[in-house]
């Protein structure tokens, strides 16, 4: 057994591969690293996606913010987090060529499988294109060791013919991510408590009525929604919930790069195509 081989925990790697880690696409994908696999920083979180209905594991707030924006993007069709750079021999060879140390487990000194935070599949000009993105606070880019590991990552993806890049808080619009997080859980209208007992056709009717009131209105969303609830004898807050649903479904559109304030008058646009999808009108 070579010296290099002694530092590769093949049993663990093969175990994770057997579990399906780092494999599959869409709902079938399983990240290589889960929250419980890494030391806690207190900022880890999980979220069930909209575009792909599975649980996602995030190791930082910045990763979650990047996910919110990616999941909301029309051109993104799949998002795979904590994607492994396999086979491990490939990154070890790159590290050797660069003359730098390959990442290891500090407890065992064994080589660890490197991962890229996100492998995102986009639909561009009728073709599926993968892009690899590493998420890092800009302050970390001054760390020489961080840069060394990034170079291993960059060369790995270069060999795969896949575009790789770094996204920091400067590239990830925090306001947009915050706005999307505010409306994210309202994607399914039948999960809004005050609407659960209502007939589907009636829900469609009141959605249209709500939209009619919002478009070109000179009142705040809160004011419109409050009057809407009273007029239709709905539980207080129903109109606001419907507004969030219409935004996350892109039936109503506002500038999400700006702070979302329901106490102000908003310029709202209607997507009739998305509304027809919601109402099952062909």
């Amino acid at each position: 057994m070579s010296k290099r081989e002694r530092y590769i925990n093949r049993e663990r790697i093969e175990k994770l591969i057997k579990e399906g880690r780092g494999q599959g696409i869409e709902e079938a994908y399983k990240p290589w690293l889960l929250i419980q696999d890494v030391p806690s920083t207190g900022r880890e979180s999980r979220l069930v996606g909209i575009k792909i209905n599975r649980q996602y594991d995030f190791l930082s707030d910045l990763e979650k913010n990047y996910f919110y924006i990616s999941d909301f993007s029309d051109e993104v069709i799949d998002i795979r987090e904590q994607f492994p750079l396999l086979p491990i021999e490939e990154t070890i060879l790159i590290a050797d060529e660069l003359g730098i140390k390959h990442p290891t487990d500090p407890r065992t000194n064994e080589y660890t499988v490197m991962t890229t935070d996100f492998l995102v599949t986009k639909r561009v000009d009728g073709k599926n294109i993968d892009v690899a993105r590493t998420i890092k606070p800009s302050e970390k880019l001054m760390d020489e060791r961080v840069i060394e590991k990034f170079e291993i990552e960059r060369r790995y993806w270069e060999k795969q013919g896949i575009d790789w890049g770094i996204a920091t808080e400067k590239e990830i619009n925090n306001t947009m991510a915050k706005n999307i997080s505010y409306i994210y859980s309202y994607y399914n209208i039948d999960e809004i408590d005050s609407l659960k007992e209502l007939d589907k056709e009636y829900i469609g009717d009141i959605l249209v009525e709500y939209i009619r009131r919002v478009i070109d209105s000179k009142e705040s969303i809160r004011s419109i929604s409050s009057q809407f609830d009273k007029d239709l004898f709905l539980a207080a807050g129903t109109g606001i919930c419907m507004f969030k649903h219409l935004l996350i479904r892109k039936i109503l559109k506002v500038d999400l790069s700006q702070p979302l304030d329901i106490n102000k008058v908003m310029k709202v646009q209607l997507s009739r195509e998305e509304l027809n999808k919601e109402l099952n009108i062909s």
Side-chain angles (χ1 to χ4, degrees):
M1 180 184 293
S2 67
K3 181 179 179 181
R4 174 186 294 176
E5 190 69 23
R6 287 201 303 271
Y7 290 105
I8 298 176
N9 189 337
R10 295 203 178 277
E11 184 178 349
R12 173 167 170 73
I13 293 173
E14 289 169 7
K15 177 178 179 292
L16 294 178
I17 290 174
K18 192 173 181 179
E19 290 176 6
R21 301 281 195 98
Q23 301 170 70
I25 60 172
E26 300 176 349
E27 285 87 353
Y29 177 75
K30 293 182 180 180
W32 186 259
L33 294 176
L34 301 176
I35 286 175
Q36 62 266 28
D37 296 328
V38 297
S40 176
T41 62
R43 306 310 306 171
E44 300 86 357
S45 58
R46 290 190 172 103
L47 188 68
V48 175
I50 287 176
K51 194 161 286 175
I52 304 299
N53 185 29
R54 69 169 179 83
Q55 179 176 281
Y56 288 80
D57 282 50
F58 309 111
L59 306 183
S60 69
D61 291 333
L62 202 54
E63 284 185 14
K64 185 164 66 172
N65 285 350
Y66 181 86
F67 172 82
Y68 275 132
I69 295 172
S70 298
D71 201 30
F72 194 70
S73 170
D74 289 331
E75 67 178 9
V76 171
I77 61 175
D78 195 11
I79 306 169
R80 287 169 281 178
E81 79 277 28
Q82 307 306 328
F83 194 88
L85 278 53
L86 292 172
I88 192 171
E89 289 84 359
E90 187 68 33
T91 52
I92 293 172
L93 178 61
I94 293 170
D96 286 348
E97 291 172 346
L98 292 169
I100 59 180
K101 182 184 177 185
H102 189 280
T104 58
D105 184 330
R107 298 166 300 179
T108 64
N109 207 33
E110 295 168 340
Y111 291 124
T112 57
V113 172
M114 297 182 67
T115 60
T116 291
D117 295 321
F118 291 102
L119 184 62
V120 178
T121 305
K122 300 181 177 182
R123 188 72 174 169
V124 180
D125 297 328
K127 296 180 180 179
N128 290 356
I129 298 174
D130 287 334
V131 297
R133 290 293 179 265
T134 290
I135 314 301
K136 215 73 169 176
S138 57
E139 62 186 26
K140 296 289 186 181
L141 302 186
M142 302 301 290
D143 187 313
E144 183 178 348
R145 180 56 179 156
V146 168
I147 297 301
E148 286 181 347
K149 289 189 282 189
F150 281 173
E151 183 59 15
I152 298 174
E153 224 178 317
R154 185 191 71 79
R155 293 204 183 191
Y156 174 90
W157 288 114
E158 184 178 57
K159 289 185 177 184
Q160 309 301 315
I162 290 175
D163 177 68
W164 174 85
I166 303 166
T168 71
E169 74 282 356
K170 296 178 181 179
E171 289 76 40
I172 301 170
N173 188 315
N174 184 64
T175 299
M176 178 173 283
K178 183 178 179 180
N179 287 338
I180 296 170
S181 72
Y182 176 67
I183 61 178
Y184 196 80
S185 62
Y186 292 86
Y187 189 80
N188 295 315
I189 197 165
D190 54 2
E191 293 180 4
I192 297 175
D193 289 340
S194 55
L195 300 179
K196 285 181 178 179
E197 304 302 321
L198 298 182
D199 177 80
K200 187 175 182 179
E201 186 174 342
Y202 181 64
I203 292 176
D205 290 341
I206 63 176
L207 269 178
V208 172
E209 172 60 19
Y210 184 84
I211 292 169
R212 185 190 68 78
R213 296 186 184 210
V214 168
I215 297 297
D216 297 325
S217 175
K218 302 302 181 184
E219 297 183 60
S220 72
I221 295 299
R222 184 178 295 282
S223 177
I224 296 168
S225 300
S226 178
Q227 191 60 51
F228 175 81
D229 293 344
K230 292 175 184 177
D231 291 348
L232 277 71
F233 305 101
L234 298 168
T238 300
I240 297 295
C241 291
M242 292 182 72
F243 179 67
K244 294 177 181 179
H245 170 75
L246 292 165
L247 286 183
I248 195 64
R249 285 279 186 168
K250 301 180 183 177
I251 297 168
L252 294 182
K253 296 185 177 182
V254 300
D255 185 0
L256 290 176
S257 67
Q258 300 301 314
L260 192 59
D261 187 349
I262 61 174
N263 296 306
K264 294 182 178 180
V265 177
M266 290 188 197
K267 184 179 180 181
V268 180
Q269 294 180 317
L270 170 65
S271 169
R272 294 194 178 277
E273 180 182 356
E274 295 302 326
L275 176 60
N276 288 342
K277 289 179 186 177
E278 177 88 356
L279 300 176
N280 292 318
I281 299 174
S282 57

